[in-house]
Amino acid sequence: MSRLPLVDGVLTYIKEKNVSFCTPGHKGGLGFLKTRQGRELYENFIKGDITEVDGLDNLHNAEGIIKESQKLLSNYYGSIKSYFLVNGSTSGNLAMIFSSFNEGDKIIVERNCHRSIFNAIIMRKLRPVYIKNKIHSKYDAPFPLDKEHFLYLMNENKDVKGIVVTYPSYYGICFDLPYVIKVAKKYNIKVLVDAAHGAHFGACKLLPKNPLTMGANMVVMSSHKTLPSLTQTAFLHVGQGIDISKVDFYVSAFLSTSPSYMLLCSMDYARYYIQEYGEVDYGELIKLCLLYRDKINGLGKFYILGQQDLCDATSNYPEEDISYTMDLTRYILNVPKGYSGHKLLEYLRENKIQAEMSDSRNVILIFSPFNEREDFHKLYIALKNCDMSVLKDVYVNLIDYGMPISVMFPYEVMGREKTILELKNAKNKISAVAIVPYPPGIPIVMPGERLSKETIDVIEYYLECDVTVLGINGGKVATVEK
């Protein structure tokens, strides 16, 4: 047994020299080595692990170089004020929700939001109303919010104080955010955007726009996911209609009082890089992505989704009514029905290609300007040589189910005594947990919702198909009484 299991594990992975088609965006440090300024920072990272000594600054009371750097960040993204987050987008989502809403407020929230959003809803004691998410039946891929359901909820809940959405999704798919903001402004409610995967948006014309330019009130971005910034770093941007003094307090409350200057410097560099080089470099990256998308699709074995596939998914709506767009710097690599996205992920890993994630029929690959043509060629060759028989698996149909009835708010569940029941015996009981099949990663049940027969049938179907279902342990579920 190793006496340094964590150190040895990381060093072993580094020595494998895998092609990085996953986060973080600096791709093993290449993003820093791209420029003279980045190289100097890269060579001095450990020496830069210092505290708030004379000549530097204090993140919680920035008056010097941190203040200046955050001002540059704000100017680039077009915010009233922007913050460096050393506790990731999770802390940004918490600060965003706490500074925008008061206890007891009702909000509309996407069903597939990040868990930090749901945690913030519980901690702030909010009353959530959930928007359905769509599933693309042809590719078994989850899509962003159902616009028709969003409009229904807005008309039925005139007392909501805001809406929380994810833009883009983990799959790089963006819904019609300008339309959602337009409707929200009509009702005078706030729009908060978890743009964890969109820190590069707006860098060039071929990318989706930065949500702040569309009128979002607050936006969180994980700089480390797509930019040359260290893991655990993120930005929080404040737009119109937000009390800055509240944001100052909650940002400070949810951040470490010992912020790493290594993290802070990497965020400063990430902003510098995208501002100085983003337009050209992202344009060149997208050319590579489109070139190899066509080459891989030409193999006739796999399919990488494109913009037309998003249009096909919304063909029931008039074109002017709804639209999805796509981040062209990532692939949704789809396998035919009867084959496994999870097994494809494993196959790529065996060929020293590290993808971001997989579901039953898709593998997600995330690129940055630091992925070279040779990286894409390795992916193409690996897919060309793939023996499809090793990817065969039982097909699991993703069910587009109705959302259950909410009986209690999530925060009300927290203090109640839990009763563990066999799932089959939990009909009409109130769930104490979120029940989430993966894929597609969208909760079937949230805490405080009633377990109907239809809901239990859907859960049991996924369990019978050997799908991982979070919240179900040994066929049992935690419930509460009202």
Side-chain angles (χ1 to χ4, degrees):
M1 179 179 291
S2 171
R3 298 184 65 185
L4 285 170
L6 179 57
V7 172
D8 289 344
V10 170
L11 292 177
T12 297
Y13 183 85
I14 292 171
K15 292 171 184 175
E16 292 176 1
K17 296 182 178 180
N18 299 297
V19 174
S20 176
F21 290 144
C22 60
T23 63
H26 62 72
K27 305 299 180 183
L30 296 177
F32 298 105
L33 299 176
K34 178 109 176 181
T35 69
R36 177 185 60 79
Q37 297 87 344
R39 285 194 298 273
E40 187 173 4
L41 178 61
Y42 180 93
E43 292 165 358
N44 289 282
F45 259 137
I46 298 300
K47 293 180 181 177
D49 186 21
I50 50 183
T51 188
E52 294 94 340
V53 296
D54 290 344
L56 298 181
D57 202 357
N58 188 320
L59 181 62
H60 293 266
N61 184 33
E63 295 293 340
I65 56 176
I66 294 177
K67 181 178 180 180
E68 182 181 356
S69 183
Q70 290 187 147
K71 181 62 177 175
L72 290 169
L73 179 69
S74 175
N75 290 343
Y76 175 74
Y77 282 101
S79 70
I80 294 174
K81 186 173 183 178
S82 292
Y83 301 81
F84 288 147
L85 306 176
V86 295
N87 289 16
S89 283
T90 292
S91 64
N93 284 333
L94 291 168
M96 183 167 66
I97 286 178
F98 269 74
S99 56
S100 299
F101 305 122
N102 297 316
E103 284 193 11
D105 282 351
K106 180 191 288 188
I107 66 168
I108 292 176
V109 58
E110 262 193 290
R111 192 75 170 185
N112 71 338
C113 276
H114 189 263
R115 59 177 298 199
S116 60
I117 296 290
F118 295 124
N119 289 342
I121 288 170
I122 291 173
M123 293 166 64
R124 195 53 166 161
K125 296 185 177 180
L126 301 180
R127 299 181 293 150
V129 178
Y130 301 109
I131 314 174
K132 285 182 64 177
N133 290 92
K134 302 171 73 69
I135 294 176
H136 194 307
S137 58
K138 184 175 181 180
Y139 302 108
D140 288 316
F143 270 41
L145 62 83
D146 183 320
K147 182 178 179 183
E148 189 175 27
H149 192 228
F150 162 68
L151 293 175
Y152 167 79
L153 293 179
M154 290 299 298
N155 288 324
E156 291 294 313
N157 296 275
K158 301 290 179 60
D159 56 338
V160 297
K161 302 298 183 181
I163 176 172
V164 183
V165 293
T166 305
Y167 182 96
S169 71
Y170 204 170
Y171 291 69
I173 301 173
C174 305
F175 59 90
D176 192 353
L177 181 58
Y179 179 82
V180 169
I181 291 175
K182 179 182 177 181
V183 173
K185 299 302 182 187
K186 176 183 174 182
Y187 288 92
N188 195 31
I189 66 171
K190 298 181 180 73
V191 179
L192 310 186
V193 182
D194 179 353
H197 285 267
H200 59 304
F201 279 12
C204 75
K205 292 181 180 179
L206 294 174
L207 287 169
K209 292 181 179 179
N210 159 16
L212 283 163
T213 65
M214 305 176 196
N217 298 99
M218 295 187 77
V219 180
V220 173
M221 297 173 172
S222 286
S223 54
H224 74 90
K225 283 185 167 63
T226 56
L227 301 182
S229 185
L230 296 181
T231 297
Q232 200 174 311
T233 56
F235 304 142
L236 172 62
H237 307 293
V238 182
Q240 298 289 339
I242 300 294
D243 186 340
I244 295 291
S245 65
K246 282 187 176 181
V247 184
D248 287 342
F249 172 79
Y250 286 113
V251 166
S252 181
F254 289 117
L255 290 185
S256 168
T257 55
S258 300
S260 165
Y261 270 94
M262 298 165 67
L263 300 181
L264 294 171
C265 286
S266 74
M267 285 186 275
D268 193 28
Y269 176 74
R271 186 274 314 158
Y272 166 81
Y273 171 80
I274 194 172
Q275 186 169 5
E276 296 295 323
Y277 303 95
E279 184 174 4
V280 172
D281 286 4
Y282 273 95
E284 291 299 315
L285 171 64
I286 290 172
K287 287 181 184 178
L288 264 180
C289 291
L290 294 176
L291 172 66
Y292 276 89
R293 174 185 179 271
D294 290 342
K295 286 172 68 72
I296 292 169
N297 286 348
L299 294 173
K301 301 163 74 173
F302 308 95
Y303 185 73
I304 298 170
L305 275 66
Q307 184 65 43
Q308 183 56 46
D309 301 298
L310 307 188
C311 296
D312 292 344
T314 59
S315 57
N316 292 333
Y317 299 95
E319 187 175 341
E320 67 273 11
D321 246 8
I322 186 166
S323 62
Y324 291 126
T325 54
M326 174 176 280
D327 177 5
L328 296 175
T329 67
R330 70 181 62 197
Y331 285 169
I332 305 173
L333 179 59
N334 183 261
V335 297
K337 290 182 178 179
Y339 296 85
S340 168
H342 299 305
K343 290 184 177 180
L344 177 57
L345 181 83
E346 293 173 3
Y347 168 79
L348 292 174
R349 182 75 167 77
E350 290 168 0
N351 284 268
K352 297 189 179 300
I353 295 172
Q354 181 65 66
E356 174 70 17
M357 56 89 78
S358 62
D359 64 29
S360 62
R361 286 190 56 209
N362 300 282
V363 172
I364 306 303
L365 303 104
I366 301 177
F367 312 115
S368 82
F370 319 115
N371 287 119
E372 300 177 345
R373 181 182 289 265
E374 182 182 351
D375 296 339
F376 284 87
H377 184 67
K378 287 180 179 178
L379 173 65
Y380 172 76
I381 294 300
L383 294 175
K384 181 180 179 180
N385 295 335
C386 180
D387 178 358
M388 295 298 288
S389 66
V390 304
L391 306 183
K392 277 192 170 293
D393 204 357
V394 176
Y395 174 65
V396 179
N397 181 43
L398 298 185
I399 302 174
D400 190 4
Y401 44 81
M403 287 193 296
I405 296 172
S406 179
V407 182
M408 300 170 61
F409 298 117
Y411 74 86
E412 295 178 307
V413 172
M414 296 301 293
R416 302 297 178 97
E417 183 178 348
K418 311 297 189 296
T419 301
I420 307 299
L421 297 174
E422 293 285 345
L423 179 62
K424 62 183 179 181
N425 298 328
K427 180 182 175 183
N428 294 327
K429 297 296 183 179
I430 302 169
S431 179
V433 295
I435 301 176
V436 190
Y438 191 82
I442 299 172
I444 296 177
V445 182
M446 289 297 293
E449 292 179 341
R450 193 175 295 284
L451 290 157
S452 66
K453 181 182 184 304
E454 177 192 16
T455 301
I456 293 173
D457 286 346
V458 172
I459 297 169
E460 288 181 334
Y461 167 76
Y462 283 126
L463 291 172
E464 288 168 3
C465 293
D466 291 325
V467 172
T468 298
V469 181
L470 304 179
I472 303 296
N473 297 299
K476 297 182 180 180
V477 61
T479 63
V480 295
E481 298 289 338
K482 187 170 182 182

